[in-house]
């Protein structure tokens, strides 16, 4: 039998199209454009060139040269050939000027811009920038994440100006997603200067935004965003507000509303609940917040009677709500089963757990954490030692706190199982561990009980007993293969690592690139420190 060799260029266009449709179009353009006329004709087709996503091509400190090569090829060869086709563009902020200045994209209307520093965002989103002059009437979809560790006194003013610029000058905007410095808290309103009579982007129908307080939220719902049907707000604080929404057009048009609050509030019943009851056409509602000093827990009866009964079209209700410092004047106090039953009776699938204070000073106070299942949010309200477990496959950020009981190894093993994709963990507990870490009890060669957090990149251990530093940094207890950021007390770190010489803690420190200390540290030329953290790029006071 004669052997027949068939090369890729011998295949019909239809088969090549089928193959190429299964390949990432960015890789396709980078690898095949310019090889020959046939491949150029196919790869330049609008099917492969209208949506370009370069957000996965990024610098991690080790592949800068690869990043430069990829971006250079797109800017000098690929974009000049396909610029008329590009409708959607996703890029890292580091590429922005090179790519946007490389050519003009007349049909560009969707832009995703990730990891933007504040000053850069300010330069882009002002009336006189080249970007605004070129695209302010074209961009209909904008996704931007502001991620800047170098915060300063003018940060909030600049962010407010960025927000105002986007709302004011992007006249064709319909979809806006602004994620901003999730780990920080703002101190003042960000939308206070958004003139109620000027909002050119009234076409926005989907808005996701990080703001400061409830007044900012009310500002967005006062009727100026007349086409809004989806609003997702992440805010720091809910306080009593004197703002009155008289124009209910936006409230009545809303179909989806998500409300995430960082700080506990005293005013849920007086501000948030009445606002929710006015959103009578909601179909999907998401609530994530913590409520203080009520005289009863928020349970299934309250949510049904006080909120959901006003929403006849509601079909999806997702919640993660903590009632704490709840004051009980009657006995017996409700149990977890009692609270859970109020949801079962109203058709909800939930779980919950309750902590009651038992000391004399705080007797009668309780904390109840309720959450809908399956849990779909990336953040969960902080959990205590009473957490019952479960599977929370979407959660990336977690804080564990307890002021009455210590966390043992069993608890941390439960956390690793319950939150398999956790990337940031904060531990707050100053009580000595009763269940001591296993390195004190077992031989060093035993690995069956090692707890693994396969994706954990950020670990905050600044408000803890030293036992928890041992729990996490000793490789005989915990495996942290991706840890690159550590927030810790300097005294704890030096003690547990024996002044940066201990082999037992070296493995979990090897990939750390950033350390935040509780005070200013003058390491000078400390050879042990830098050898112990070979990947370290930055250390700074808290």
């Amino acid at each position: 039998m004669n052997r027949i060799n068939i090369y890729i260029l011998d295949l019909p266009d239809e088969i090549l199209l089928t193959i190429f449709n299964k390949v990432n179009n960015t890789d396709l353009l980078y690898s095949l454009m310019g090889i020959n006329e046939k491949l150029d004709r196919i790869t330049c087709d609008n099917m492969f060139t209208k949506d370009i996503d370069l957000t996965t091509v990024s610098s991690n400190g080790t592949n800068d040269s690869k990043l430069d090569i990829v971006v250079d090829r797109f800017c000098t060869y690929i974009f000049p050939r396909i610029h008329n086709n590009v409708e959607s563009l996703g890029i890292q902020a580091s590429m922005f000027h090179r790519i946007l200045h490389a050519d003009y994209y007349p049909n560009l209307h969707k832009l995703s811009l990730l990891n933007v520093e504040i000053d850069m965002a300010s330069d882009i989103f002002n009336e006189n920038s080249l970007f605004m002059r070129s695209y302010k009437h074209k961009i209909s979809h904008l996704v931007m994440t502001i991620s800047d560790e170098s915060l300063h006194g003018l940060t909030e003013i600049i962010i407010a100006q960025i927000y105002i610029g986007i709302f004011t000058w992007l006249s064709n905007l319909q979809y806006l997603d602004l994620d901003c410095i999730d780990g920080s808290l703002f101190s003042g309103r960000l939308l206070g200067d958004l003139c109620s009579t000027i909002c050119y982007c009234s076409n926005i129908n989907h808005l996701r935004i990080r703001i400061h307080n409830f007044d900012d939220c009310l500002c967005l719902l006062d009727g100026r965003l007349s086409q809004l049907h989806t609003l997702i707000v992440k805010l720091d604080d809910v306080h009593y507000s004197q703002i009155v929404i008289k124009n209910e057009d936006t409230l009545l048009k809303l179909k989806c509303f998500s409300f995430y609050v960082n700080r506990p509030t005293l005013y849920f019943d007086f501000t948030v609940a009445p606002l929710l009851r006015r959103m009578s056409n909601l179909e999907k509602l998401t609530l994530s917040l913590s409520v203080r000093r009520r005289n009863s827990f928020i349970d299934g009866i309250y949510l049904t009677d006080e909120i959901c009964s006003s929403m006849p079209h509601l079909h999806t209700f997702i919640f993660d709500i903590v009632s704490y410092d709840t004051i009980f004047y009657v006995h017996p106090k409700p149990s977890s089963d009692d609270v859970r039953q109020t949801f079962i009776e109203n058709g909800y699938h939930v779980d919950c757990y309750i902590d009651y204070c038992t000391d004399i000073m705080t007797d009668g106070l309780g904390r109840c954490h309720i959450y809908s299942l399956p849990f779909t949010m990336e953040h969960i309200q902080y959990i205590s030692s009473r957490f019952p477990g479960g599977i929370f496959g979407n959660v990336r950020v977690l804080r564990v706190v307890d002021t009455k009981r210590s966390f043992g190894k069993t608890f941390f093993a439960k956390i690793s199982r319950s939150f398999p994709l956790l990337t940031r963990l904060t531990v707050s507990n100053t009580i000595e561990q009763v269940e001591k870490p296993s390195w004190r009890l077992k031989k060093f060669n035993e690995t069956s009980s090692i707890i693994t957090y396969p994706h954990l990149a950020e670990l905050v251990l600044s408000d803890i007993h030293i036992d928890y530093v041992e729990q996490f940094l000793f490789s005989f207890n915990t495996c942290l293969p991706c840890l690159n950021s550590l927030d810790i007390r300097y005294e704890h770190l030096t003690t547990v690592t024996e002044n940066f010489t201990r082999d037992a803690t070296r493995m979990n420190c090897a990939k750390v690139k950033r350390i935040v200390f509780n005070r200013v540290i003058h390491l000078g030329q400390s050879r042990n420190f830098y050898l112990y953290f070979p990947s370290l790029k930055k250390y700074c006071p808290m």
Side-chain angles (χ1 to χ4, degrees):
M1 179 181 296
N2 293 328
R3 181 174 180 179
I4 301 176
N5 293 321
I6 299 179
Y7 299 96
I8 188 171
L9 295 177
D10 298 326
L11 296 173
D13 288 2
E14 293 78 8
I15 296 180
L16 286 176
L17 285 170
T18 301
I19 295 172
F20 291 167
N21 272 323
K22 300 182 183 297
V23 180
N24 180 285
N25 69 324
T26 302
D27 295 335
L28 185 74
L29 293 171
Y30 177 77
S31 303
L32 298 183
M33 184 172 285
I35 290 181
N36 64 36
E37 183 178 342
K38 179 175 182 177
L39 290 178
D40 273 5
R41 176 171 46 80
I42 295 176
T43 55
C44 285
D45 187 274
N46 188 59
M47 179 187 305
F48 302 115
T49 56
K50 67 177 181 178
D51 300 316
I52 306 297
D53 184 4
L54 295 173
T55 56
T56 57
V57 182
S58 61
S59 169
N60 61 10
T62 60
N63 66 342
D64 290 354
S65 59
K66 177 183 176 182
L67 171 66
D68 289 338
I69 291 171
V70 172
V71 175
D72 283 344
R73 177 161 168 75
F74 268 90
C75 290
T76 60
Y77 188 78
I78 297 174
F79 281 130
R81 305 188 67 180
I82 66 170
H83 65 104
N84 286 329
N85 295 350
V86 177
E87 299 176 12
S88 175
L89 182 60
I91 54 177
Q92 296 282 346
S94 60
M95 311 173 186
F96 177 80
H97 290 299
R98 295 167 68 185
I99 290 177
L100 266 294
H101 292 176
D103 218 312
Y104 176 66
Y105 309 88
N107 294 305
L108 178 66
H109 62 91
K110 294 182 179 181
L111 177 64
S112 295
L113 189 57
L114 305 186
N115 299 320
V116 188
E117 292 185 355
I118 294 172
D119 291 339
M120 180 181 182
S122 178
D123 291 339
I124 295 172
F125 296 101
N126 71 77
E127 183 183 6
N128 297 317
S129 73
L130 176 62
F131 172 78
M132 280 295 201
R133 294 199 306 268
S134 302
Y135 298 102
K136 67 180 180 180
H137 299 306
K138 294 182 177 294
I139 298 297
S140 62
H141 287 59
L142 175 63
V143 177
M144 181 172 69
T145 60
I146 297 178
S147 179
D148 191 345
E149 295 178 357
S150 58
L151 305 182
H152 46 75
L154 297 177
T155 294
E156 293 179 24
I157 296 175
I158 296 174
I159 290 176
Q161 292 171 346
I162 293 168
Y163 283 5
I164 301 303
I166 291 173
F167 277 106
T168 303
W169 298 112
L170 293 181
S171 59
N172 193 41
L173 206 55
Q174 299 173 29
Y175 183 106
L176 178 57
D177 188 326
L178 294 174
D179 199 359
C180 177
I181 316 175
D182 196 44
S184 302
L185 298 176
F186 298 128
S187 60
R189 288 189 61 187
L190 298 175
L191 300 178
D193 293 330
L194 184 61
C195 178
S196 61
T197 60
I198 300 176
C199 186
Y200 295 115
C201 54
S202 59
N203 293 323
I204 293 179
N205 54 58
H206 177 110
L207 174 60
R208 178 174 179 261
I209 189 170
R210 169 73 193 284
I211 51 182
H212 170 57
N213 60 24
F214 196 59
D215 284 350
D216 277 337
C217 181
L218 296 177
C219 177
L220 296 170
L221 294 168
D222 65 1
R224 77 186 77 197
L225 301 178
S226 57
Q227 303 303 313
L228 195 65
H229 65 66
T230 297
L231 177 59
I232 303 166
V233 292
K234 297 167 66 176
L235 61 157
D236 296 328
D237 193 21
V238 173
H239 56 70
Y240 184 76
S241 177
Q242 294 183 336
I243 294 178
V244 178
I245 296 178
K246 296 180 180 180
N247 185 341
E248 294 203 352
D249 288 351
T250 302
L251 293 174
L252 294 176
K253 286 183 179 179
L254 274 183
K255 302 296 182 182
C256 302
F257 182 56
S258 297
F259 191 71
Y260 304 88
V261 186
N262 282 324
R263 291 188 177 117
T265 178
L266 296 167
Y267 299 101
F268 178 81
D269 297 276
F270 311 108
T271 56
V272 180
L275 179 69
L276 293 174
R277 288 194 287 269
R278 297 170 69 184
M279 301 177 183
S280 56
N281 290 311
L282 275 188
E283 297 175 2
K284 180 178 180 179
L285 173 62
T286 301
L287 296 177
S288 176
L289 47 86
S290 182
V291 182
R292 291 186 61 203
R293 305 295 286 182
R294 300 179 82 253
N295 56 17
S296 63
F297 294 139
I298 290 181
D299 60 12
I301 296 173
Y302 176 89
L303 292 177
T304 299
D305 293 347
E306 299 298 323
I307 295 177
C308 297
S309 61
S310 302
M311 304 172 181
H313 307 290
L314 189 70
H315 58 73
T316 303
F317 185 20
I318 301 168
F319 53 86
D320 174 27
I321 301 174
V322 170
S323 308
Y324 85 97
D325 283 353
T326 306
I327 307 168
F328 288 94
Y329 298 104
V330 296
H331 293 275
K333 296 187 286 288
S335 67
S336 296
D337 287 338
D338 294 332
V339 173
R340 198 177 291 111
Q341 188 62 33
T342 66
F343 287 99
I344 294 173
E345 292 172 352
N346 288 284
Y348 294 105
H349 186 202
V350 306
D351 204 352
C352 70
Y353 59 98
I354 293 177
D355 292 277
Y356 284 115
C357 296
T358 56
D359 58 85
I360 296 176
M361 297 296 295
T362 57
D363 187 33
L365 296 183
R367 177 182 184 272
C368 178
H369 187 180
I370 59 173
Y371 42 87
S372 55
L373 296 175
F375 197 90
T376 57
M377 290 179 264
E378 292 189 359
H379 294 64
I380 187 170
Q381 296 290 326
Y382 82 80
I383 64 176
S384 73
S385 59
R386 299 298 193 196
F387 173 67
I391 299 298
F392 300 78
N394 291 302
V395 173
R396 303 295 192 274
V397 179
L398 174 67
R399 184 183 178 205
V400 296
V401 181
D402 208 308
T403 59
K404 304 298 180 184
R405 295 169 292 273
S406 68
F407 296 132
K409 180 167 184 177
T410 303
F411 174 79
F412 289 115
K414 182 189 297 183
I415 296 303
S416 69
R417 293 191 301 270
S418 297
F419 305 96
L421 297 181
L422 197 63
T423 60
R424 177 183 170 89
L425 174 62
T426 300
V427 182
S428 297
N429 195 320
T430 58
I431 303 171
E432 181 181 1
Q433 281 187 298
V434 175
E435 184 185 357
K436 294 296 183 182
S438 62
W439 71 272
R440 299 176 176 177
L441 305 176
K442 296 188 177 184
K443 294 181 180 180
F444 287 169
N445 60 0
E446 292 187 31
T447 60
S448 60
S449 61
I450 294 177
I451 302 170
T452 300
Y453 295 86
H455 303 283
L456 190 66
E458 298 179 62
L459 180 61
V460 180
L461 301 175
S462 56
D463 184 26
I464 57 166
H465 190 277
I466 195 171
D467 281 356
Y468 301 105
V469 179
E470 296 175 345
Q471 172 71 62
F472 278 93
L473 294 191
F474 269 82
S475 56
F476 311 121
N477 300 321
T478 307
C479 177
L480 303 172
C482 295
L483 183 66
N484 62 47
S485 178
L486 182 61
D487 188 330
I488 194 169
R489 292 176 60 185
Y490 179 73
E491 298 81 3
H492 284 173
L493 185 61
T494 55
T495 300
V496 171
T497 62
E498 295 183 346
N499 287 316
F500 315 113
T501 62
R502 199 173 204 161
D503 289 337
T505 51
R506 192 180 300 273
M507 182 180 298
N508 282 331
C509 296
K511 295 183 179 180
V512 172
K513 298 178 181 178
R514 176 176 179 266
I515 301 180
V516 179
F517 289 128
N518 59 308
R519 58 184 175 87
V520 176
I521 305 300
H522 299 287
L523 290 168
Q525 301 299 317
S526 175
R527 184 170 180 270
N528 283 344
F529 177 80
Y530 290 105
L531 289 176
Y532 211 78
F533 296 96
S535 302
L536 189 66
K537 293 184 177 181
K538 180 179 181 181
Y539 68 89
C540 54
M542 190 178 300

